[in-house]
Amino acid sequence: MQQKLSVQRASNVRRGRVSVPHHQTMSRKSRIETALGMLVTVWIKIRQVMFECKDPIEISLGEFETYWPYIDNVWVKQRSNSSKEGHCTTDYYMCRLRRPTHRTSETRPLPEGKRPRKKRTREGGVCNFQIKVVRFEGAYSTVTIARTPGSSCAHSHSLDHIDGVKRNSGLMEFARKEAVKGFLPSSIYTKFQEEPEKLAEAGGKFCTVTDVRNVSAKWRIQNPEVKLVPHDGYEYQKGHGIVRIGRTNGNSESAGELGPLKPSLDTPLPPDILQFPQFSLEFLAPYLPKDDGKRSFPHVTLSYASSMDSKISLLPGMQTVLSGPEAKLMTHYLRSRHDAILIGVGTVLADNPGLNCRLEGAGGFGGLGRMWQPRPVVIDPTGRWPVHPESRILRTAVEGKGKAPWVVVSPGAQIHPQTLMMLKGYGGDFLRIVEFNQHWRLRWEAILRSLASEGIKSVMIEGGGTVLSELLNPEYTEFIDSIIVTVAPTYLGSGGVGVSPDSKRDGQGKPNAALNPRDVKWMPLGQNVIMCGKIKSNTIDGDL
């Protein structure tokens, strides 16, 4: 994890936990579209996602125990670390092909008549891919799989290549369970071969009868008196080996099906799931986060829904719906494209939001773990928010439909130790920002730099009015990349909560425009109109 700059963690229980940046070579849109197909061929894609590990993968403990045995052939454990409290354990792994295939040594003379062994030629040379697996036990136990800082960006070989080098334990454990029932290795192997698609998806594309014999050998040595038999419906035929003679209605132990190789994923989808947008959102592309090299600060997008008179709510603390169905889907798409959603404490107190992505294919909505789920970040300098297990954000995290929040507070905020440990138990945390203004307001530069140090590469700021109005002031333009506003065809009136920067004057004291976004684009979307623009200048981020 990168060095923390302007932030003091309340404790180091969560150290090693990784947030989920989405800035790798494959675009987020492509990954979302891929995941829709993933609902059909989930199993093989899960193995590929866990193999590539382009983004840190945060999954439940149950998901980890289900999927890891079918991908563990890729890795060799190096070491393990545990927190003092015992809630967090970090295991470090390197790719099995990190070491050379063989050590160079003087060739010894071979016995007469013996041919030299054919040595495997490694695809792509030595692989320097390394990961860490962080297990956190709390109200919602999670496992995060992420590349370590010294790792290569990609493997030097394919998943098929490693499957040919080493068989995974999930596949071999299934073979072992069949072996201890007294079945012939050749019969088990024949069953494997009758369902080649399931076998390949489970990593057994290169499985041989020798692999099955090796797995059953230990049990066979301990039980030499047992006569091995073929499965029900199979028999030995000279010249053909074990063959199937007919389908039976026997029990699952002899039905010849490889069900355990593909765990059931038929969990019901939640009723509040949203269909992935069927309309084009290409117009958003120029304003979304991109992998444009190392940045000192995250990509920041201001996004909110506004009336024609620039109001976001009818009254302070009153939730007001301004987005139509299409704009709502667009908002959840934007959430899926950012690492974090940031709001002020006033919005949390007024709306009790979930701050998650409910698109089909997201984590908790048909996807793996907490895929595409952004990290909620609540700006609460004085600790006003009474964090409670019944709050919607925490209930969403427990249900696996989102992530627990990070609450940004000032050094003077009084946080009860029980509240601190409770939030940590749900996977959240308190971040204490040292740098703040004399009016207790936290400095945005410090907040954004601290989020960057925690691995956040992009932030979507959704509210409320105070936060948005402050960030629209010119002094913050070098920290804000884009603005995406949903304009509703209504006027909320003078009593509403407005979003607007402070009035500005030029050098002669004459009124002047406070902010002029550039590269502006207007796009009708259902009953709304979407205004997109860029705020940050072309100054290199690293120069800030």
Side-chain angles (χ1 to χ4, degrees), residues 451-506:
L451 292 177
S453 73
E454 293 290 333
I456 300 296
K457 302 296 182 184
S458 55
V459 180
M460 179 177 171
I461 299 180
E462 293 193 5
T466 301
V467 170
L468 293 169
S469 296
E470 183 176 357
L471 288 173
L472 285 172
N473 282 296
E475 55 263 39
Y476 297 113
T477 56
E478 292 306 315
F479 301 105
I480 311 302
D481 294 83
S482 304
I483 180 170
I484 300 175
V485 181
T486 299
V487 181
T490 184
Y491 292 89
L492 297 185
S494 59
V497 178
V499 171
S500 178
D502 299 331
S503 298
K504 304 298 176 184
R505 294 181 180 273
D506 60 17

Side-chain angles (χ1 to χ4, degrees), residues 292 294-296 478 536-544:
D292 54 359
K294 188 176 181 180
R295 294 174 57 114
S296 302
E478 292 306 315
K536 185 177 178 180
S537 67
N538 293 322
T539 306
I540 299 175
D541 180 73
D543 295 338
L544 294 179

Side-chain angles (χ1 to χ4, degrees), residues 43 93 132 447 491 533:
W43 186 233
Y93 294 85
K132 60 181 177 182
I447 293 173
Y491 292 89

